[in-house]
Amino acid sequence: MEYLPVLLGAVSAMVVGAVYYHPKVFGTVWMAESGMTEEKIKSANMAKTYGIAFVLAAIFSLFMMNNVADPDPQFHTFKHGAFHGVLVALFTALPIIVTNALFEQKSMKHAFINVGYWVATLAVIGGIASAMQG
């Protein structure tokens, strides 16, 4: 078991999230679409939120390490892993998030902002997992 790719994958999820949900990227629109407020954010236990998110990102990193594992070294590239990450996101995150949005009566804009985060995040995690295998 290689721990460095798992750790880097988990860290990358946090970095992608910090950039993706920044107010100058999708953060302001996401807050409006989700009904999130600054007051609500400030009232949360952010250590708990980020801690659990980090552990869950590590679990996804473990999954992606198994998903991109290939004995052929020609496939040990960031590009190959990123492709697998995008496929995983499109075939898992998209149907789950859109279904939840339908039942929660959230906008499709809200759903696709969240799907976009997972496409970007799993592409990076998959890229790291693939490039570091072996």
Side-chain angles (χ1 to χ4, degrees):
M1 160 96 152
E2 297 179 44
Y3 293 101
L4 185 58
V6 173
L7 178 63
L8 290 176
V11 169
S12 75
M14 307 308 279
V15 171
V16 170
V19 172
Y20 191 86
Y21 289 105
H22 187 278
K24 291 186 179 180
V25 185
F26 290 108
T28 302
V29 177
W30 173 80
M31 284 182 69
E33 292 296 318
S34 67
M36 185 60 68
T37 64
E38 291 288 339
E39 295 78 32
K40 198 170 186 179
I41 291 171
K42 289 177 183 172
S43 71
N45 180 343
M46 295 313 284
K48 178 181 175 183
T49 299
Y50 283 112
I52 293 170
F54 185 83
V55 169
L56 295 172
I59 291 169
F60 242 132
S61 294
L62 281 168
F63 170 78
M64 288 306 298
M65 284 180 61
N66 289 318
N67 185 271
V68 301
D70 195 298
D72 190 342
Q74 77 174 348
F75 294 114
H76 297 182
T77 66
F78 188 91
K79 181 179 173 181
H80 177 79
F83 176 71
H84 279 266
V86 168
L87 288 179
V88 167
L90 293 177
F91 286 99
T92 60
L94 185 142
I96 292 167
I97 291 170
V98 170
T99 299
N100 285 352
L102 289 168
F103 284 98
E104 293 172 353
Q105 298 182 5
K106 297 283 187 182
S107 72
M108 285 300 107
K109 183 186 281 187
H110 176 261
F112 283 105
I113 288 170
N114 287 328
V115 169
Y117 164 74
W118 284 108
V119 169
T121 297
L122 291 177
V124 173
I125 290 173
I128 290 168
S130 184
M132 294 185 76
Q133 70 178 306

